[in-house]
Protein backbone atom coordinates (compact mmCIF):
# COMPACT_ATOMS: atom_id res chain seq x y z
CA UNK A 1 0.00 0.00 0.00
CA UNK A 2 3.05 2.28 0.16
CA UNK A 3 3.84 2.06 -3.57
CA UNK A 4 4.14 5.55 -5.04
CA UNK A 5 3.79 7.30 -1.69
CA UNK A 6 6.33 9.91 -0.67
CA UNK A 7 8.01 10.43 2.64
CA UNK A 8 10.18 13.10 4.17
CA UNK A 9 13.10 12.16 6.40
CA UNK A 10 14.30 14.98 8.65
CA UNK A 11 13.22 18.61 8.74
CA UNK A 12 14.28 21.89 7.21
CA UNK A 13 16.47 22.40 4.14
CA UNK A 14 18.52 19.23 4.77
CA UNK A 15 15.44 16.93 4.73
CA UNK A 16 15.29 14.09 2.21
CA UNK A 17 12.22 13.57 0.05
CA UNK A 18 11.86 10.03 -1.27
CA UNK A 19 9.25 7.94 -3.02
CA UNK A 20 8.56 4.24 -2.48
CA UNK A 21 9.33 2.26 -5.62
CA UNK A 22 8.76 -1.32 -4.54
CA UNK A 23 9.11 -3.78 -1.72
CA UNK A 24 12.28 -5.86 -1.50
CA UNK A 25 12.05 -9.61 -1.59
CA UNK A 26 14.79 -9.89 1.01
CA UNK A 27 16.98 -7.25 2.59
CA UNK A 28 20.65 -7.97 1.91
CA UNK A 29 21.82 -5.88 4.87
CA UNK A 30 21.40 -8.87 7.17
CA UNK A 31 24.20 -10.65 5.26
CA UNK A 32 26.78 -7.87 5.51
CA UNK A 33 29.07 -7.10 8.44
CA UNK A 34 28.25 -3.62 9.76
CA UNK A 35 31.17 -1.31 10.63
CA UNK A 36 32.88 -2.79 13.69
CA UNK A 37 30.29 -5.52 14.20
CA UNK A 38 31.33 -8.97 13.00
CA UNK A 39 29.18 -10.98 10.61
CA UNK A 40 26.61 -13.24 12.23
CA UNK A 41 23.81 -15.33 10.75
CA UNK A 42 21.58 -14.87 13.81
CA UNK A 43 19.52 -12.16 12.11
CA UNK A 44 18.62 -14.44 9.22
CA UNK A 45 17.95 -17.40 11.49
CA UNK A 46 15.57 -15.37 13.66
CA UNK A 47 13.55 -14.40 10.57
CA UNK A 48 13.45 -17.86 8.98
CA UNK A 49 9.96 -19.17 8.28
CA UNK A 50 8.24 -15.83 8.86
CA UNK A 51 6.33 -13.77 6.32
CA UNK A 52 7.98 -10.49 7.26
CA UNK A 53 8.27 -7.69 4.73
CA UNK A 54 10.96 -5.41 6.11
CA UNK A 55 12.55 -3.67 3.17
CA UNK A 56 11.58 -1.24 0.44
CA UNK A 57 13.35 0.47 -2.43
CA UNK A 58 13.18 4.25 -2.45
CA UNK A 59 13.85 6.79 -5.18
CA UNK A 60 15.40 9.95 -3.80
CA UNK A 61 13.52 12.95 -5.18
CA UNK A 62 15.29 15.63 -3.14
CA UNK A 63 18.64 14.65 -1.60
CA UNK A 64 19.69 15.82 1.83
CA UNK A 65 21.19 14.54 5.04
CA UNK A 66 19.76 11.77 7.22
CA UNK A 67 20.74 11.54 10.88
CA UNK A 68 19.89 9.19 13.72
CA UNK A 69 16.66 10.34 15.35
CA UNK A 70 15.28 12.17 12.29
CA UNK A 71 11.52 12.23 11.96
CA UNK A 72 9.99 10.25 9.10
CA UNK A 73 6.55 11.17 7.75
CA UNK A 74 4.40 10.50 4.69
CA UNK A 75 3.83 13.68 2.70
CA UNK A 76 0.99 12.53 0.43
Amino acid sequence: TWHGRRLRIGTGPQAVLAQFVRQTVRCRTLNVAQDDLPYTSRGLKSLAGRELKLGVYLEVLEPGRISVGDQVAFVN
Side-chain angles (χ1 to χ4, degrees):
T1 62
W2 291 6
H3 187 296
R5 292 192 70 186
R6 294 179 178 191
L7 70 126
R8 185 165 305 280
I9 305 168
T11 58
Q14 292 293 321
V16 172
L17 179 64
Q19 180 172 306
F20 289 98
V21 176
R22 72 174 198 256
Q23 181 179 359
T24 61
V25 175
R26 181 171 157 257
C27 182
R28 184 181 173 323
T29 304
L30 290 173
N31 290 349
V32 180
Q34 302 295 317
D35 294 330
D36 295 332
L37 300 174
Y39 169 78
T40 177
S41 62
R42 284 186 298 182
L44 287 176
K45 288 178 182 176
S46 67
L47 297 175
R50 299 180 189 201
E51 279 295 319
L52 299 175
K53 311 274 196 263
L54 301 174
V56 294
Y57 288 104
L58 296 175
E59 176 184 3
V60 176
L61 304 174
E62 294 177 13
R65 180 171 291 224
I66 297 174
S67 299
V68 173
D70 278 352
Q71 294 181 3
V72 178
F74 287 111
V75 293
N76 64 342

